[in-house]
Amino acid sequence: MTARSSLTVVLAAGEGTRMRSGLPKVLHPVAGQSLLAHVLHAAPQGPGTALAVVVGPDHAAVEAEAKKLRPDASTFVQRERLGTAHAVLAAREAIARGADDLLIAFGDTPLISAETFARMRAPLAKGAALAVLGFRAADPTGYGRLLIENGKLVAIREQADASTEERRITLCNAGVMAFDGRRALQILYRIGNANSKGEYYLVDAVTIVRDMGLEAVVIETGEDEVRGINTRAQLAEAENVMQTKLRKAALDAGVTLIAPETVYLSADTKFGRDVVIEPFVVIGPGVAIDDGAVIHSFSHIVQAQIGKKASVGPYARIRPGTSLGDGARIGNFVETKAATLEAGVKVNHLSYIGDAHVGANSNIGAGTITCNYDGFSKHKTTIGAGAFIGTNSSLVAPVKIGSGAYIGSGSVITKDVPDDAMAVERSPQTNREGGATRYRELKTGGKRKEGK
């Protein structure tokens, strides 16, 4: 198979009106990635492969997504919607280059696998002109039926045209096809539009192939794999199927999911060994969790790196750009964003650490906030190794807290604190009579005592 070249044409021009959304249908997410992303990742890649994506005339966002995911992709615009065969021919320039195998896929079938694409190419290497992907439908109503004679595919009969006997057939058309690339344009150009809608249907390729004296075959797969997404309900169904697959893969890889059905994963989540995920955890895109880490209940993690034996949560929010070192601890109701916390850092309660770098083995007391936004720009907080930040402290960025420094509880730090210094800076407080009492103590430069 590796010696054969391939072109995959992905049809992604549909408006998705039944989704009732301003977002193009193929950009709706499943498991943290767009529908289109799943298909493009499954399509053949590497030497000898090419990819073409057919988009609608006003779908610049779809084109951008395709280019981001597969920089090797060519994009073509289908300006009129005149059927599936017409959509494929929007990419005729790419098809004319003459790949050995031409795969036709759809941008709204996120569960299709690379293995299925490979299985569809296999008959072409043995001389078949066309391979059609089929599935056994639990309820075949509405699907085109695959008509088999003597083990060969002879036609695809649409529901409206099927006889009573043909409607009993459960082997249905998934829409995905693989053509002998040398004959593909010859076959596609023969497809006419003599039907009630005046459109060019890809399913007619089967009859044309047979009339040309060539062979058409069926490759079967499971119904779940070829789920097309046209409605929000179908999107939710696909999400459920994908989550089941991802959870099983995680369990098989040695991850402990205490209540698997409550955990939501992304397609690109990476796990080390002996990771434990407690119930009701959401893991968004771009997350890697290293060996022995524990993610406690009700935590939400997106675009973050979690180090070995780190502990997160419960009720933690780990936002994009966070990197937790080995053995770091992020506790109850802690939020981090664009923050590097080195090995052994503890942020156990009710704190916000954003746009920050925290040195190894530092302790961040409950209620501490890095005040990173001044209303116009974001600024960085740097905390040195072994620093101790007392409870309810506000670190007003840009600011640097030295290694081994000690910040007293309730401090508002607006100036850099040297290494091993002690600092307490408190705002005016209200006395019992309701009058304002100014209490301010600032000590910097003195050495921190042992045991502090």
Side-chain angles (χ1 to χ4, degrees):
M1 289 299 297
T2 56
R4 294 177 64 85
S5 62
S6 71
L7 168 67
T8 305
V9 176
V10 179
L11 306 184
E15 293 292 343
T17 54
R18 285 190 284 169
M19 298 291 284
R20 301 189 184 281
S21 172
L23 187 69
K25 178 173 68 170
V26 298
L27 297 185
H28 283 265
V30 165
Q33 296 182 349
S34 68
L35 304 182
L36 181 62
H38 290 285
V39 179
L40 298 191
H41 290 322
Q45 303 183 45
T49 66
L51 178 68
V53 181
V54 177
V55 303
D58 300 313
H59 287 181
V62 177
E63 184 174 357
E65 175 81 342
K67 289 288 189 180
K68 180 184 74 173
L69 296 165
R70 291 282 300 268
D72 61 320
S74 300
T75 56
F76 300 89
V77 178
Q78 183 190 15
R79 301 198 177 279
E80 295 181 276
R81 290 178 172 80
L82 299 177
T84 48
H86 177 263
V88 172
L89 284 173
R92 60 171 58 84
E93 177 186 329
I95 299 170
R97 296 180 190 131
D100 294 321
D101 304 333
L102 171 65
L103 290 162
I104 309 299
F106 294 85
D108 64 354
T109 55
L111 300 171
I112 195 164
S113 67
E115 292 74 18
T116 292
F117 281 131
R119 288 198 300 123
M120 293 193 69
R121 296 178 64 188
L124 306 181
K126 298 177 181 178
L130 176 64
V132 174
L133 189 62
F135 65 99
R136 302 282 175 176
D139 178 6
T141 304
Y143 291 112
R145 309 306 205 277
L146 301 183
L147 307 186
I148 308 294
E149 291 182 5
N150 300 320
K152 304 296 182 183
L153 178 64
V154 296
I156 300 176
R157 190 81 74 231
E158 295 300 331
Q159 169 87 15
D161 301 322
S163 66
T164 301
E165 184 177 349
E166 288 170 341
R167 291 186 181 189
R168 295 193 186 101
I169 296 171
T170 59
L171 182 59
C172 297
N173 175 35
V176 180
M177 295 186 180
F179 288 82
D180 178 345
R182 298 164 299 174
R183 299 185 174 101
L185 282 178
Q186 183 184 5
I187 296 166
L188 292 166
Y189 283 143
R190 290 191 181 193
I191 295 175
N193 65 342
N195 53 65
S196 60
K197 292 187 176 180
E199 296 186 350
Y200 300 85
Y201 296 133
L202 202 54
V203 295
D204 292 343
V206 176
T207 302
I208 290 169
V209 164
R210 297 291 294 177
D211 290 345
M212 294 171 66
L214 303 173
E215 183 183 18
V217 300
V218 175
I219 300 297
E220 286 194 45
T221 191
E223 185 171 4
D224 278 341
E225 187 175 356
V226 292
R227 287 174 179 266
I229 309 302
N230 293 300
T231 66
R232 301 280 186 165
Q234 291 171 344
L235 185 69
E237 290 168 1
E239 181 74 59
N240 185 53
V241 173
M242 182 69 79
Q243 289 299 326
T244 299
K245 291 175 60 177
L246 293 173
R247 292 163 188 155
K248 183 179 185 303
L251 291 165
D252 290 346
V255 177
T256 296
L257 303 179
I258 294 175
E261 68 281 1
T262 70
V263 174
Y264 281 79
L265 306 174
S266 287
D268 63 350
T269 304
K270 295 180 175 61
F271 290 110
R273 296 188 302 172
D274 297 316
V275 171
V276 176
I277 310 293
E278 291 185 354
F280 301 104
V281 168
V282 175
I283 299 177
V287 174
I289 303 175
D290 215 334
D291 299 350
V294 179
I295 312 300
H296 296 282
S297 293
F298 298 102
S299 295
H300 191 151
I301 307 174
V302 178
Q303 294 177 17
Q305 309 294 309
I306 310 299
K308 294 179 180 179
K309 296 185 178 180
S311 176
V312 176
Y315 295 99
R317 187 179 180 198
I318 309 301
R319 292 172 57 193
T322 295
S323 176
L324 302 184
D326 296 348
R329 298 179 64 85
I330 301 296
N332 307 314
F333 303 103
V334 170
E335 180 178 354
T336 66
K337 188 271 297 181
T340 297
L341 285 71
E342 295 184 2
V345 169
K346 296 178 182 179
V347 190
N348 279 329
H349 322 282
L350 299 159
S351 295
Y352 170 70
I353 307 297
D355 295 291
H357 188 285
V358 183
N361 300 312
S362 293
N363 185 90
I364 310 298
T368 294
I369 296 173
T370 56
C371 306
N372 56 331
Y373 184 53
D374 62 7
F376 301 96
S377 302
K378 297 290 181 69
H379 302 283
K380 187 169 183 177
T381 298
T382 301
I383 300 173
F388 183 96
I389 313 298
T391 59
N392 291 321
S393 294
S394 296
L395 310 181
V396 183
V399 69
K400 295 182 179 179
I401 309 299
S403 296
Y406 184 98
I407 306 300
S409 297
S411 295
V412 179
I413 303 298
T414 59
K415 297 179 181 179
D416 292 352
V417 177
D419 292 351
D420 297 316
M422 298 177 60
V424 179
E425 185 174 357
R426 297 190 179 127
S427 300
Q429 298 179 351
T430 302
N431 62 24
R432 292 182 180 179
E433 288 72 32
T437 300
R438 185 172 181 80
Y439 175 79
R440 180 181 176 85
E441 178 184 358
L442 179 62
K443 297 179 180 178
T444 61
K447 295 297 182 182
R448 173 182 171 187
K449 296 179 180 178
E450 290 297 325
K452 284 287 186 179

